[in-house]
C-alpha cells in the first residue's frame, strides 16, 4: 500500500467489487492538513448559490400548505390569496407562502446568531480575543464556518468576521421580505436555504465560543450524566429555576455558589437549552453536573404552576411570554437577564444587590431586569435562599388540594371546549368524566401528551383551571418522571471521523439519525424513545440535541437504564450521542462536512456547493425534528437541506407551511453525473424529500431506513440498508414495501438469507431476468452498482468539463 | 337522519373560504357520483377499533384506499386491500395532473378523508384548497374548515351514527 499515490484513484470497469479503505485514510488526512486553496464561494451573497438551490428545488419541489389564506403585510391589504390569487402588490399565494417560510427561517437564524453575538462579545470581554478555540482533538475546528466563509478560526477574535458576515446576510435576506420586490416563489425558497445555511454558521460560532471558554466537554464520549425530570427536583430545598438558551448568566450563578460554598443549599434546575448547557458547564474534566434538568418548554408552565421554584431567571429564546404573570401569582420573583426578554421590568443592572433583594423579598417589585451578569451571579442565589422561607411562611399554595380537585372536576359540564381548543385535541372532557369517579388514568395520559400551553384554561366556560387539574391529578406519574441525560459532548472529533467515515460513505454503518428540536410531539414523548431504541439496536448512529436529547433520557428499560446508560456514545454505529444544546446542532452538519474534508480530502474552504454535493450523494443522514415548533427548528432543518440532508418533522411541522418533496415516479428527476466521464447515471429515489411531515413513529422508522440510502452505497452497505427498510416496514406497517425493488442494483444488494426468495419475487412480479444457476440478475434494475462511480450533481466537476 | 351540520365552531380560522357543513346522505351522493373517488385513511384509526371498522366498511363499497401513517397495518390485518402513502407526498402527487394514481389508471376527482389528526388534516387540506381543483370531503369528528365539505363538530356517539348512515347509502 505504501506505493499507492496520494490523491484520487479511479478504477474503471470493475463491477461488484467491495473495496475496504484502510490506510488511504491516513494519506487523506495528511492531504487535508496541507493548506488548501480557497473554494469558489467564500462568504457567498444571497444569489451566489442560487444555481445549487434551483437544482435542489427542481428535484424537491415546494409543497405549500398555507396557515392563513390572507396576507396582511402592508396597508395595501389585507388581501385574500385563496386559490393562489394575487394580492394588491402582485404576489400570489405560492410566493407569499415561500416568503412566510423565509421569514420563519431568518427569525430562527437570527435567534441563534443573536445568541452567538451576545455570548461571543461577553466571552471575548472576559477572556480576550486571543483566547484559543479549543473544542477537542480536532484540526478542523469550525467546519460550517470554514465551508461557508472560508475563515479558519483559531481564536475567539477570528469568530468576529464570521458573525459579521452572518449578520450582514441576514439583513439582506430580511430586506427581501419587504412588500413588492420578489415575486417568484423559487427565489424566496433559495433565500430560505441561504438563511438556513447561515444559521448553522451562527450556531457554530455560539457553541465554539462557549465550549472553548466555559469548560464544556470537548468531543468527549464519556461526558457525565445529569439528572433529568420534574420528579428529580428536591422540593424541600430552596429552588432556583433557570429558563432559556444562553448559559452565560447561569455560569456566574454556579461560580458564586461554588465560591461561597452554598451549592448544596440551593436546588438549581433548568428548562430548555440553558438547562443542557448548565450540565455542560465545567464538565470537560468530568465530575457531577452543577445542575439538574427539569425538561423542555412543555414543562415550563407546569413547573412554574407546581409552585416549587423560589426564584426564576430567564435569558432568551424559547421562554414563555407569561412567565412573569404566572410566577407573580405564586410570589416567585423573576429576573430577566437579556435584551430579548425584559417583561417591562425596571432595569436594576446598576443597583446594589441588597436593595434589589429588599424590593423583591418585600413584594414591592415582581422582578428585575439585570443585564450585568456578575451582579446576577450574586443576586440570584442569595435571593433564592431568602425567598424560600418567606414563601413557605406565606403558605403559598400552587396546585389545588385533593378536595379542591374534586370540586373542580365536578364543575365540568362536558362542553368539549377545552378539547376543541387544545392544539393536540386531547381528551380532556373524557378525563374529567372518569376523573369524577376518582379514576385519574386518563388525566395521566393527557399530562403525558400535553404540551403545557394553557389554552384549555382560557377556553373553559366554567373557569376551571384545566391545566392545574391535569397536573394535580397526575402527581403520582409526575413524581416518577426521573431519568438521566448525557451532558452534551460538542463536536464529533477528527479522529472519530477517521474511524467511522468509511463506513458511513460505503453504507456499512446504515446511517446517521439526528433527533433534534422541540417537544411538540403528536403522541407524547415516549415515541422518541421508541424510535431511538429501534434505530440504535439496528446499528444506526443516533445524534441528538436540545429538547429531544432531554426527552430521550426520560424513560428507562426493564433494567432501569435510560438510553444514555444502555448505549455508548462514541461516534460509531449503535451509539447515542448528545451533541448538546440548540446551537450544537451545527455539529450535525459539521460531522457531514468533516467526512467530506477528512475522509474524502475535499477542499471545503469557502466551497459550499462541492461540499454539499459530496454530502448529498454519499452520507446517509436524516434529521428528525419530531416535535418541532420553533422558528429555530425551521432554520436548522433548512440549513441541513441546503447540504442535501433530508429532514422529517412531525405532523405539527405541516404548519411551517411548506415541504420539499420529490416525485419518485418522474424518472428524469433521479439522475446524477458520473464525475469520471460526465455521463448521466440514474439513481434510486432517496432521499425522496428534503423536508416532509410524517404522521406516526411507526410510519417514520421504515422511512428513515429508506432515506438513508445513497448512490455511493457499496453492495454490503446497500444490503444492510435495504434489510432495515424491509424489516421495519414489515414490523411497523405490516407489509413488504412496494418500492423495495427500486433500490436493488444487483443480486449482491439483497440480504443473503433471503436472496433466493427475493430473486423469485423480482422475476415473477417485476419480470427481471435471473440466471438461476449463478443466482445472478441478468436484467431488470434501473440503477447500476458501480463502486468506482463518482456521483455528482455538478457538471463542472466531471472529467473534461474544466 | 343524523344532522351533522349544526356545530361548526372553530377557534382559529384560515381565512374567508370555509368548508360547507354537510349531512351523511349528501356525502354518500357526492361519493357515488364521483368517477374516481379515493379514501385517504389515517393512523388515528389505529387507536379506535370502531372507527377502523367503519373505514373498512367504506373500502368494501369499492372505494380504493390510500392508507397514510401506519394505518395500512389495520387494513391488511382485516384483509382489505390498501396502499401505503405518506400523506404529504400523496397530497403532492394528487395535485400533479401527470400522476397515474395508486393503480396506474389516472388521478382522482374526489377525496374522502378519515382518521386524521385535526390540525394535520387541516394543513393538508389547505394545500388542496389553494392549489388544486380537487373536491375534498372530511368525515371526521371535528369540523375541518379547509375541506370542500365536512361534518361539523360531533359528539362521539353521533359521529358513529353519521358514519353508519353514510356507509348505508354508499
Ligand atoms: S404584501 Fe401584497 S398581498 Fe400582502 S397585504 Fe400587501 S399588497 Fe396584499
Ligand atoms: S395545556 Fe395541555 S391539555 Fe391544555 S390545551 Fe395545552 S396541550 Fe392541551
Ligand atoms: S371546557 Fe371546561 S367545562 Fe367544558 S369540557 Fe372542558 S373542562 Fe369541562
Amino acid at each position: 500500500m505504501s506505493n499507492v499515490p496520494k490523491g484520487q484513484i479511479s478504477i474503471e470497469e470493475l463491477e461488484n467489487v467491495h473495496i475496504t479503505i484502510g490506510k488511504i485514510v491516513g494519506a487523506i488526512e495528511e492531504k487535508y492538513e496541507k493548506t488548501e486553496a480557497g473554494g469558489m464561494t467564500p462568504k457567498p451573497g444571497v444569489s451566489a448559490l442560487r444555481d445549487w438551490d434551483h437544482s435542489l428545488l427542481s428535484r424537491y419541489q415546494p409543497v405549500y400548505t398555507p396557515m392563513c389564506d390572507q396576507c396582511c403585510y402592508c396597508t395595501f391589504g389585507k388581501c385574500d390569496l385563496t386559490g393562489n390569487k394575487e394580492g394588491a402588490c402582485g404576489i400570489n399565494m405560492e410566493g407569499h407562502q415561500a416568503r412566510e417560510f423565509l421569514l420563519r427561517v431568518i427569525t430562527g437564524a437570527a435567534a441563534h446568531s443573536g445568541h452567538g453575538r451576545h455570548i461571543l462579545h461577553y466571552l471575548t470581554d472576559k477572556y480576550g480575543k486571543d483566547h484559543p478555540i479549543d473544542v477537542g482533538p480536532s484540526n478542523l475546528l469550525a467546519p460550517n464556518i470554514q465551508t461557508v466563509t472560508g475563515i479558519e478560526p483559531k481564536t475567539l477574535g477570528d469568530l468576529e468576521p464570521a458573525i459579521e458576515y452572518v449578520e450582514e446576510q441576514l439583513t439582506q435576506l430580511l430586506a427581501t421580505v419587504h412588500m413588492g420586490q420578489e415575486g417568484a416563489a423559487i427565489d424566496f425558497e433559495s433565500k430560505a436555504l441561504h438563511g438556513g445555511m447561515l444559521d448553522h454558521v451562527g450556531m457554530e460560532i455560539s457553541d465554539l465560543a462557549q465550549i472553548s471558554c466555559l469548560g464544556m466537554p470537548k468531543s468527549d464520549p464519556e461526558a457525565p450524566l445529569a439528572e433529568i425530570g420534574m420528579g428529580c427536583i428536591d422540593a424541600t430545598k430552596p429552588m432556583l429555576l433557570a429558563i432559556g438558551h444562553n448559559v452565560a448568566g447561569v455560569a456566574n450563578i454556579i461560580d458564586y455558589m461554588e465560591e461561597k460554598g452554598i451549592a448544596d443549599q440551593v436546588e438549581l434546575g433548568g428548562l430548555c437549552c440553558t438547562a443542557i448547557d448548565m450540565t455542560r458547564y465545567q464538565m470537560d474534566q468530568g465530575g457531577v453536573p452543577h445542575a439538574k434538568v427539569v425538561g423542555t418548554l412543555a414543562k415550563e408552565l407546569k413547573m412554574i404552576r407546581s409552585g416549587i421554584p423560589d426564584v426564576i431567571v430567564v435569558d432568551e429564546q424559547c421562554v414563555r411570554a407569561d412567565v412573569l404573570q404566572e410566577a407573580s401569582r405564586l410570589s416567585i420573583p423573576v429576573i430577566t437577564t437579556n435584551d430579548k426578554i425584559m417583561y417591562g421590568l425596571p432595569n436594576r443592572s446598576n443597583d446594589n444587590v441588597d436593595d434589589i433583594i429588599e424590593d423583591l423579598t418585600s413584594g414591592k417589585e415582581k422582578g428585575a431586569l439585570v443585564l450585568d451578569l456578575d451582579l446576577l451571579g450574586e443576586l440570584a442565589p442569595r435571593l433564592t435562599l431568602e425567598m424560600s422561607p418567606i414563601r413557605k411562611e406565606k403558605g403559598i399554595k400552587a396546585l389545588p388540594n385533593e378536595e379542591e380537585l374534586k370540586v373542580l372536576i365536578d364543575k365540568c359540564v362536558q362542553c368539549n371546549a377545552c378539547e376543541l381548543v387544545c392544539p393536540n385535541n386531547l381528551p380532556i372532557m373524557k378525563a374529567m368524566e372518569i376523573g369524577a369517579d376518582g379514576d385519574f388514568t386518563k388525566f395521566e395520559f393527557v399530562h403525558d401528551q400535553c404540551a403545557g400551553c394553557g389554552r384549555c384554561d382560557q377556553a373553559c366556560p366554567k373557569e376551571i383551571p384545566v391545566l392545574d387539574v391535569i397536573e394535580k391529578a397526575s402527581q403520582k406519574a409526575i413524581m416518577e418522571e426521573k431519568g438521566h441525560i448525557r451532558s452534551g459532548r460538542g463536536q464529533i472529533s477528527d479522529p472519530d471521523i477517521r474511524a467511522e467515515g468509511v463506513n458511513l460513505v460505503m453504507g456499512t454503518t446504515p446511517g446517521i439519525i439526528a433527533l433534534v428540536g422541540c417537544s411538540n410531539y403528536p403522541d407524547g414523548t415516549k415515541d422518541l424513545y421508541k424510535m431511538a431504541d429501534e434505530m440504535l439496536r439496528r446499528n444506526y448512529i443516533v445524534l441528538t440535541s436540545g429538547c429531544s436529547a432531554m426527552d430521550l433520557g426520560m424513560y428507562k428499560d426493564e433494567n432501569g437504564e435510560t438510553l444514555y446508560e444502555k448505549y455508548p456514545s462514541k461516534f460509531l454505529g449503535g451509539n447515542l450521542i448528545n451533541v448538546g444544546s440548540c446551537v450544537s446542532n451545527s455539529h450535525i452538519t459539521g460531522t457531514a462536512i468533516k467526512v467530506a474534508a477528512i475522509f474524502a480530502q475535499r477542499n471545503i474552504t469557502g466551497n459550499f456547493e462541492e461540499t454539499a454535493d459530496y454530502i448529498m450523494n454519499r452520507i446517509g443522514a436524516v434529521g428528525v425534528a419530531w416535535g418541532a415548533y420553533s422558528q429555530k427548528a425551521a432554520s436548522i432543518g433548512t440549513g441541513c437541506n441546503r447540504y442535501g440532508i433530508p429532514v422529517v418533522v412531525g405532523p405539527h411541522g405541516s404548519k411551517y407551511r411548506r415541504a420539499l418533496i420529490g416525485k419518485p415516479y418522474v424518472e428524469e428527476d433521479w439522475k446524477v453525473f458520473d464525475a469520471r466521464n460526465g455521463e448521466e447515471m440514474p439513481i434510486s429515489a432517496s432521499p425522496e424529500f428534503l423536508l416532509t411531515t410524517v404522521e406516526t413513529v411507526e410510519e417514520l422508522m421504515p422511512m428513515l431506513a429508506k432515506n438513508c440510502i445513497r448512490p455511493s452505497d457499496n453492495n454490503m452497505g446497500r444490503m444492510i440498508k435495504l434489510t432495515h427498510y424491509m424489516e421495519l416496514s414489515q414490523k411497523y406497517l405490516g407489509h413488504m414495501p412496494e418500492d423495495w425493488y427500486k433500490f436493488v442494483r444487483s443480486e449482491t444488494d439483497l440480504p443473503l438469507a433471503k436472496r433466493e426468495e427475493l430473486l423469485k419475487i423480482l422475476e415473477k412480479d417485476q419480470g427481471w431476468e435471473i440466471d438461476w444457476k449463478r443466482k445472478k440478475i441478468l436484467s431488470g434494475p434501473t440503477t447500476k452498482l458501480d463502486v468506482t462511480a463518482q456521483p455528482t450533481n455538478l457538471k463542472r466537476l466531471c472529467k473534461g468539463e474544466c | 337522519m343524523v344532522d351533522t351540520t349544526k356545530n361548526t365552531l372553530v377557534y382559529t380560522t384560515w381565512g374567508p373560504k370555509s368548508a360547507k357543513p354537510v349531512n351523511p346522505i349528501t356525502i354518500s351522493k357526492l361519493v357515488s357520483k364521483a368517477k374516481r373517488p379515493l379514501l385517504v385513511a389515517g393512523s388515528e384509526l389505529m387507536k379506535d377499533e370502531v372507527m377502523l371498522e367503519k373505514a373498512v366498511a367504506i373500502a368494501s363499497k369499492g372505494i380504493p384506499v390510500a392508507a397514510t401513517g401506519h394505518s395500512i397495518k389495520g387494513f391488511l390485518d382485516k384483509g382489505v386491500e390498501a396502499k401505503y402513502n405518506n400523506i404529504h407526498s400523496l397530497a403532492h402527487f394528487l395535485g400533479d395532473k401527470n400522476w397515474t394514481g395508486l393503480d396506474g389508471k389516472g388521478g382522482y376527482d374526489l377525496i374522502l378523508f378519515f382518521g386524521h389528526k385535526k390540525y394535520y388534516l387541516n394543513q393538508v387540506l389547505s394545500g388542496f384548497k389553494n392549489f388544486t381543483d380537487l373536491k375534498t370531503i372530511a368525515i371526521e369528528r371535528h369540523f375541518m374548515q379547509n375541506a370542500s365539505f365536512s361534518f361539523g363538530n360531533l359528539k362521539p356517539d353521533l359521529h358513529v351514527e353519521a358514519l353508519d348512515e353514510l356507509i348505508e347509502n354508499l
Side-chain angles (χ1 to χ4, degrees):
Chain A
M1 272 313 270
S2 57
N3 293 331
V4 175
K6 291 169 193 171
Q8 303 216 342
I9 308 163
S10 171
I11 309 166
E12 285 176 34
E13 297 187 9
L14 275 182
E15 281 187 41
N16 296 352
V17 177
H18 178 191
I19 299 176
T20 304
I21 299 177
K23 288 187 183 166
I24 293 179
V25 176
I28 289 164
E29 179 201 331
E30 261 177 54
K31 173 96 190 282
Y32 166 69
E33 281 162 3
K34 285 183 201 157
T35 310
E36 298 276 2
M40 294 175 70
T41 54
K43 297 192 181 173
V46 171
S47 59
L49 297 167
R50 183 172 180 256
D51 289 349
W52 172 254
D53 297 336
H54 280 228
S55 88
L56 287 182
L57 295 162
S58 76
R59 188 193 286 169
Y60 303 103
Q61 300 107 31
V63 182
Y64 298 109
T65 52
M67 272 285 269
C68 177
D69 300 339
Q70 301 184 139
C71 176
C72 51
Y73 256 25
C74 78
T75 64
F76 233 164
K78 57 177 77 169
C79 299
D80 172 23
L81 307 180
T82 313
N84 207 19
K85 282 201 288 277
E86 279 183 13
C89 64
I91 200 166
N92 63 11
M93 179 64 111
E94 251 178 16
H96 178 57
Q97 292 308 305
R99 177 170 65 177
E100 287 276 10
F101 187 79
L102 166 63
L103 193 55
R104 299 305 173 283
V105 169
I106 56 180
T107 305
H112 285 138
S113 51
H115 173 187
R117 165 61 75 188
H118 178 274
I119 200 147
L120 180 61
H121 263 182
Y122 175 73
L123 294 173
T124 305
D125 277 354
K126 206 162 168 172
Y127 297 91
K129 66 177 172 38
D130 295 329
H131 187 87
I133 293 173
D134 177 10
V135 288
S138 292
N139 291 322
L140 178 45
L141 300 176
N144 271 286
I145 297 169
Q146 191 169 328
T147 304
V148 176
T149 67
I151 300 166
E152 295 182 50
K154 300 273 183 279
T155 62
L156 286 188
D158 295 341
L159 296 174
E160 185 71 27
I163 195 89
E164 276 170 11
Y165 160 72
V166 172
E167 288 164 343
E168 189 264 335
Q169 286 299 299
L170 284 176
T171 308
Q172 297 297 342
L173 288 176
L174 186 57
T176 71
V177 171
H178 188 277
M179 67 83 64
Q181 311 188 95
E182 187 65 82
I186 192 165
D187 274 311
F188 275 125
E189 294 297 352
S190 167
K191 288 166 182 130
L193 289 164
H194 192 60
M197 178 194 75
L198 297 172
D199 186 33
H200 285 250
V201 177
M203 290 192 291
E204 195 169 84
I205 293 167
S206 309
D207 215 30
L208 297 191
Q210 64 178 7
I211 292 171
S212 303
C213 298
L214 300 180
M216 292 181 174
K218 303 182 196 319
S219 301
D220 179 6
E222 307 292 334
L225 292 169
E227 288 182 66
I228 179 167
M230 283 176 79
C232 78
I233 299 299
D234 182 353
T236 60
K237 283 188 186 175
M239 199 223 166
L240 174 53
L241 178 67
I243 313 176
H245 280 71
N246 190 333
V247 77
V250 189
N252 283 353
I253 294 174
I254 293 171
D255 287 348
Y256 179 87
M257 295 203 299
E258 292 290 324
E259 196 189 302
K260 299 288 170 191
I262 55 170
D264 280 353
Q265 295 168 36
V266 177
E267 183 76 344
L268 179 62
L271 282 156
C272 252
C273 283
T274 293
I276 291 213
D277 285 342
M278 281 153 75
T279 68
R280 295 168 83 193
Y281 183 54
Q282 290 175 338
M283 284 300 118
D284 56 352
Q285 305 301 322
V288 180
H290 298 287
K292 294 177 181 173
V293 180
V294 177
T296 66
L297 180 80
K299 304 289 181 197
E300 211 170 300
L301 195 51
K302 297 179 180 190
M303 188 62 195
I304 299 171
R305 296 245 185 127
S306 74
I308 295 169
D310 293 299
V311 173
I312 296 175
V313 173
V314 302
D315 50 79
E316 59 175 286
Q317 300 168 55
C318 303
V319 182
R320 287 184 63 93
D322 60 355
V323 167
L324 183 63
Q325 286 90 316
E326 288 283 342
S328 306
R329 286 200 298 126
L330 300 170
S331 301
I332 308 169
V334 176
I335 307 172
T336 60
T337 61
N338 188 297
D339 292 347
K340 297 200 185 82
I341 308 172
M342 297 188 270
Y343 292 147
L345 290 168
N347 188 351
R348 309 296 298 266
S349 306
N350 298 315
D351 290 358
N352 178 293
V353 177
D354 295 317
D355 293 344
I356 307 171
I357 291 179
E358 168 60 29
D359 288 348
L360 295 174
T361 49
S362 66
K364 190 173 157 216
E365 300 283 356
K366 292 173 178 168
L369 169 64
V370 177
L371 296 171
D372 177 337
L373 299 185
D374 290 327
L375 181 68
L376 173 75
E378 181 182 349
L379 169 67
R382 280 186 51 196
L383 181 65
T384 307
L385 290 172
E386 293 206 23
M387 276 312 293
S388 175
I390 294 173
R391 291 181 72 246
K392 278 206 176 80
E393 201 174 305
K394 276 193 187 168
I396 303 285
K397 193 172 67 64
L399 296 176
N401 63 28
E402 315 264 310
E403 291 94 69
E404 288 163 339
L405 179 68
K406 174 128 192 40
V407 173
L408 288 171
I409 292 175
D410 287 342
K411 267 171 75 178
C412 172
V413 291
Q414 297 282 299
C415 72
N416 209 20
C418 48
E419 181 179 320
L420 281 176
V421 80
C422 171
N424 283 317
N425 305 117
L426 294 175
I428 306 165
M429 184 173 79
K430 189 83 193 157
M432 291 277 180
E433 187 190 331
I434 63 171
D437 299 327
D439 177 355
F440 293 160
T441 49
K442 203 80 184 171
F443 275 121
E444 286 176 5
F445 169 83
V446 171
H447 161 79
D448 183 55
Q449 310 237 333
C450 162
C453 72
R455 258 157 63 168
C456 45
D457 283 7
Q458 317 241 352
C460 180
K462 304 308 283 180
E463 293 183 353
I464 301 170
V466 182
L467 181 58
D468 287 2
V469 170
I470 296 168
E471 290 305 284
K472 178 65 191 176
S474 310
Q475 278 303 295
K476 237 171 64 197
I478 293 169
M479 287 298 121
E480 296 302 311
E481 285 179 1
K482 296 180 204 179
H484 286 114
I485 176 175
R486 190 169 299 286
S487 73
R489 61 119 79 178
Q491 263 188 8
I492 306 304
S493 71
D494 296 4
D496 289 337
I497 301 289
R498 265 167 231 139
E500 189 64 0
V502 62
N503 294 323
L504 278 169
V505 173
M506 299 298 170
T508 40
T509 291
I512 298 176
I513 308 297
L515 302 180
V516 307
C518 348
S519 53
N520 198 15
Y521 308 114
D523 286 300
T525 44
K526 188 139 195 196
D527 277 349
L528 206 63
Y529 169 93
K530 275 198 286 194
M531 185 199 332
D533 197 26
E534 178 74 67
M535 301 317 276
L536 285 163
R537 270 191 276 128
R538 290 175 181 274
N539 208 36
Y540 287 80
I541 298 174
V542 175
L543 298 181
T544 187
S545 64
C547 288
S548 290
M550 296 185 197
D551 281 330
L552 281 181
M554 291 301 299
Y555 294 92
K556 293 178 182 149
D557 64 7
E558 59 286 355
N559 303 319
E561 282 182 328
T562 62
L563 292 178
Y564 292 106
E565 289 150 301
K566 187 168 162 187
Y567 295 100
S569 53
K570 297 196 168 72
F571 186 66
L572 293 171
N575 279 240
L576 170 63
I577 299 162
N578 175 16
V579 287
S581 58
C582 224
V583 289
S584 311
N585 281 307
S586 54
H587 307 319
I588 296 172
T589 39
T591 302
I593 297 169
K594 282 191 170 201
V595 174
I598 295 168
F599 170 70
Q601 66 178 25
R602 295 295 172 113
N603 171 22
I604 61 155
T605 309
N607 205 9
F608 182 88
E609 201 174 51
E610 289 178 30
T611 307
D613 181 59
Y614 179 88
I615 292 169
M616 179 165 176
N617 285 301
R618 290 173 180 77
I619 302 174
V622 185
V624 179
W626 194 235
Y629 52 40
S630 74
Q631 292 85 358
K632 292 181 292 169
S635 60
I636 295 166
T638 306
C640 290
N641 288 170
R642 206 181 211 192
Y643 281 104
I645 300 171
V647 174
V648 180
V649 287
H652 280 293
S654 56
K655 294 178 234 169
Y656 284 127
R657 302 166 172 80
R658 87 101 167 85
L660 295 174
I661 301 176
K663 291 175 178 158
Y665 56 89
V666 179
E667 267 173 36
E668 45 294 10
D669 288 353
W670 305 95
K671 284 181 181 148
V672 293
F673 301 109
D674 184 344
R676 292 172 310 175
N677 49 28
E679 280 173 15
E680 270 193 347
M681 155 183 160
I683 55 163
S684 308
S686 174
E688 284 175 313
F689 55 84
L690 283 182
L691 183 76
T692 196
T693 62
V694 165
E695 221 164 300
T696 60
V697 277
E698 289 82 358
E699 179 186 12
L700 176 59
M701 287 185 268
M703 200 181 222
L704 292 177
K706 173 159 85 170
N707 284 284
C708 280
I709 290 174
R710 291 295 177 275
S712 67
D713 297 338
N714 69 10
N715 59 318
M716 183 72 78
R718 182 62 62 92
M719 186 200 297
I720 292 169
K721 292 181 183 187
L722 202 52
T723 304
H724 292 309
Y725 177 39
M726 294 192 286
E727 284 181 5
L728 286 164
S729 297
Q730 277 166 324
K731 183 169 175 183
Y732 292 103
L733 304 180
H735 78 157
M736 182 74 158
E738 253 186 62
D739 60 353
W740 69 271
Y741 69 92
K742 294 183 180 166
F743 301 97
V744 179
R745 303 162 299 178
S746 117
E747 61 286 340
T748 52
D749 285 347
L750 296 169
L752 217 50
K754 287 191 164 179
R755 193 168 287 173
E756 195 158 336
E757 183 193 327
L758 295 171
L759 284 173
K760 278 185 195 154
I761 299 174
L762 289 171
E763 187 180 52
K764 185 167 162 281
D765 294 353
Q766 304 304 330
W768 288 15
E769 223 183 319
I770 314 289
D771 173 348
W772 282 106
K773 239 196 239 144
R774 293 190 299 150
K775 300 217 169 42
K776 268 179 84 72
I777 296 171
L778 297 176
S779 72
T782 50
T783 54
K784 228 167 90 185
L785 171 63
D786 179 355
V787 286
T788 62
Q790 293 168 17
T792 176
N793 291 43
L794 301 171
K795 186 79 175 159
R796 69 178 150 81
L797 294 187
C798 297
K799 212 169 169 182
E801 284 295 318
C802 47
Chain B
M1 282 255 296
V2 186
D3 185 353
T4 51
T5 64
K6 273 190 284 195
N7 178 353
T8 55
L9 183 68
V10 290
Y11 278 86
T12 52
T13 173
W14 270 256
K17 191 174 169 192
S18 209
K20 184 165 193 265
V22 281
N23 284 318
I25 190 80
T26 314
I27 297 178
S28 307
K29 280 186 197 148
L30 284 165
V31 176
S32 305
K33 269 204 289 188
K35 286 194 202 83
R36 292 264 295 164
L38 176 70
L39 171 65
V40 179
S43 305
E44 292 298 289
L45 297 175
M46 302 299 282
K47 295 176 183 164
D48 188 334
E49 185 61 25
V50 177
M51 290 296 125
L52 183 59
E53 295 282 352
K54 305 292 170 209
V56 165
I58 296 171
S60 68
K61 300 277 182 175
I63 301 173
V65 182
T68 70
H70 67 290
S71 68
I72 177 93
K73 201 165 193 302
F75 287 99
L76 297 179
D77 285 350
K78 297 203 177 293
V80 175
E81 202 191 318
K83 298 239 175 181
Y84 160 73
N85 277 274
N86 168 265
I87 195 167
H88 218 137
S89 302
L90 178 67
H92 186 33
F93 305 162
L94 280 165
D96 176 4
K97 298 235 178 338
N98 297 319
W99 186 53
T100 55
L102 301 178
D103 53 5
K105 292 183 185 153
Y108 302 88
D109 57 345
L110 182 140
I111 330 280
L112 201 56
F113 290 91
F114 183 34
H116 302 275
K117 287 184 187 298
K118 180 182 170 186
Y119 62 86
Y120 192 28
L121 182 55
N122 257 325
Q123 284 307 113
V124 172
L125 290 169
S126 160
F128 284 111
K129 178 170 88 171
N130 282 296
F131 302 108
T132 74
D133 302 328
L134 288 165
K135 248 191 218 117
T136 56
I137 305 179
I139 51 169
E140 309 285 2
R141 195 162 79 73
H142 293 127
F143 180 58
M144 295 291 170
Q145 53 182 306
N146 286 331
S148 318
F149 305 94
S150 173
F151 284 161
N153 296 311
L154 305 172
K155 290 262 164 85
D157 47 346
L158 201 71
H159 187 217
V160 174
E161 262 182 66
L163 290 169
D164 285 338
E165 197 177 311
L166 163 69
I167 293 161
E168 207 178 296
N169 291 293
L170 275 177

